[in-house]
Amino acid sequence: MSASNLYLPLIDLSSTDRASTAQSIRQACMDHGFFYVINHGIDDFVVNSLFRESKKFFDLPLSEKMKLKRSKDHRGYTAPYSETLDTSSKFKGDHKESFEIGSINDSLNQWPSKERMPSWRVTMESYDEKIMNVGLRLISLIALALNLDENFFTKIGALDSPLGFLRLLHYPGEIPESKKGNYGASAHSDYGMITLLVTDGVPGLQICREKDRSPQLWEDVHHVEGALIVNIGDMMERWTNCTFRSTVHRVVAVGQERYSAAFFLNPNYDCVVECLGSCCSETSPPRWKYATDLVKFTSNRA
């Protein structure tokens, strides 16, 4: 079941009223786990360049792309139908193909040859730097939204060397008859702190706010020109003792080719993640003591 009347909150990063912005983020993270971010400072030229270079790579023959097959460290190319995000799905293999890149200067990263794609690496690194900056600005506002000092996550060392992973995604327009009913990306939640998503405007993204409801209600996330789509991950849900929700989402096939790029922002590897004091009380004790295992898993999964 799908509804078309979902309108997520718009968070304006250019607002000088940080308290009001933080309150809007808090409400969005409690109600939806998703929100839009506008006036984030990443201009259309940068985004268009990202998608242009992404398309160049995904247009290569499969044999060429497989030369950069994803490593055990989760850097590189993943072919269509080789990953199923929803492990309970009756279908084996989501439609999407992807390419994963770790933080800038990460020695584990794989890159297409400069001779064949001269602008590819510099474009990805430029976008990575800009989207990381937006993510860190959001984390500061999220701290305020949790009734913490705006520099809380910096002070506890969570952002000494934050882990950022960029995942380029391509969903095919035409689906083989044998794969009809399968998903571009099957139902899942993200593992880390927050995810920042940019899309080419083609629809398909849906969220399910009540995952235990039967039947599940899936709602379309509409494209907002120039906006990023941000969602809370499992780690942040645990960090906040479920005050903020990590919402299940998926991508359905709509008969159009679709490109997107997800940036996963996580704390540094040795960060201790435990229930925030502002999110627990005698009547609402911590549900988990630590989420450290999630940190380590996320940092290796991208």
Side-chain angles (χ1 to χ4, degrees):
M1 183 184 301
S2 175
S4 58
N5 59 348
L6 175 66
Y7 294 94
L8 297 173
L10 277 170
I11 304 301
D12 186 349
L13 272 194
S14 69
S15 172
T16 57
D17 189 345
R18 289 176 63 79
S20 177
T21 302
Q23 182 57 40
S24 296
I25 289 176
R26 180 180 179 87
Q27 199 63 52
C29 293
M30 292 172 64
D31 293 345
H32 302 88
F34 272 74
F35 54 89
Y36 300 109
V37 171
I38 58 174
N39 295 323
H40 42 71
I42 302 178
D43 60 38
D44 291 344
F45 175 81
V46 172
V47 173
N48 292 338
S49 297
L50 175 76
F51 285 133
R52 182 180 63 250
E53 294 299 319
S54 176
K55 186 177 188 305
K56 283 181 183 178
F57 177 81
F58 288 123
D59 280 347
L60 292 174
L62 181 61
S63 59
E64 286 296 309
K65 291 182 285 192
M66 290 300 290
K67 292 177 181 178
L68 297 172
K69 182 180 178 181
R70 189 171 68 172
S71 67
K72 60 180 176 59
D73 299 299
H74 299 274
R75 310 307 196 273
Y77 174 71
T78 301
Y81 309 111
S82 59
E83 180 182 54
T84 308
L85 293 175
D86 180 1
T87 56
S88 68
S89 173
K90 66 179 180 179
F91 294 98
K92 297 304 178 185
D94 295 339
H95 295 316
K96 69 182 185 311
E97 57 180 336
S98 65
F99 193 97
E100 296 177 50
I101 305 167
S103 300
I104 295 176
N105 299 322
D106 185 338
S107 62
L108 299 173
N109 283 332
Q110 301 190 69
W111 303 103
S113 71
K114 192 170 183 179
E115 292 72 25
R116 183 155 195 169
M117 306 186 76
S119 300
W120 208 85
R121 179 171 179 173
V122 67
T123 299
M124 299 307 155
E125 290 182 335
S126 174
Y127 181 77
D128 183 280
E129 182 178 12
K130 291 176 172 60
I131 197 69
M132 173 66 84
N133 178 263
V134 175
L136 295 177
R137 290 165 64 193
L138 277 172
I139 292 297
S140 176
L141 286 163
I142 285 173
L144 288 176
L146 293 165
N147 301 315
L148 302 167
D149 182 281
E150 64 180 343
N151 297 315
F152 171 82
F153 291 104
T154 300
K155 288 178 177 178
I156 66 169
L159 304 177
D160 288 348
S161 183
L163 297 168
F165 296 88
L166 178 63
R167 192 175 210 202
L168 308 174
L169 293 150
H170 171 233
Y171 302 87
E174 297 299 321
I175 306 299
E177 193 63 37
S178 61
K179 302 291 184 179
K180 291 292 176 64
N182 199 358
Y183 294 102
S186 51
H188 66 285
S189 58
D190 294 341
Y191 293 102
M193 290 180 77
I194 59 172
T195 302
L196 297 90
L197 179 75
V198 62
T199 80
D200 63 356
V202 174
L205 178 62
Q206 297 180 331
I207 70 172
C208 178
R209 286 183 278 173
E210 304 297 338
K211 60 185 176 183
D212 296 324
R213 172 177 171 168
S214 184
Q216 289 182 327
L217 173 63
W218 288 93
E219 299 172 283
D220 297 316
V221 176
H222 301 284
H223 178 70
V224 174
E225 192 65 32
L228 299 172
I229 300 169
V230 177
N231 65 278
I232 295 298
D234 298 342
M235 187 187 303
M236 186 63 79
E237 182 178 74
R238 288 196 178 194
W239 225 334
T240 64
N241 210 30
C242 294
T243 300
F244 289 178
R245 64 167 70 196
S246 177
T247 302
V248 173
H249 50 285
R250 69 186 184 186
V251 176
V252 297
V254 295
Q256 290 179 265
E257 196 174 25
R258 182 178 189 270
Y259 291 89
S260 65
F263 182 78
F264 304 98
L265 177 56
N266 310 306
N268 35 284
Y269 184 78
D270 59 357
C271 175
V272 176
V273 178
E274 55 187 343
C275 181
L276 298 168
S278 64
C279 297
C280 61
S281 64
E282 288 186 7
T283 56
S284 181
R287 302 189 186 199
W288 304 274
K289 184 177 181 182
Y290 298 113
T292 305
D293 288 344
L294 267 177
V295 182
K296 293 180 178 179
F297 182 65
T298 301
S299 66
N300 286 303
R301 188 196 178 282

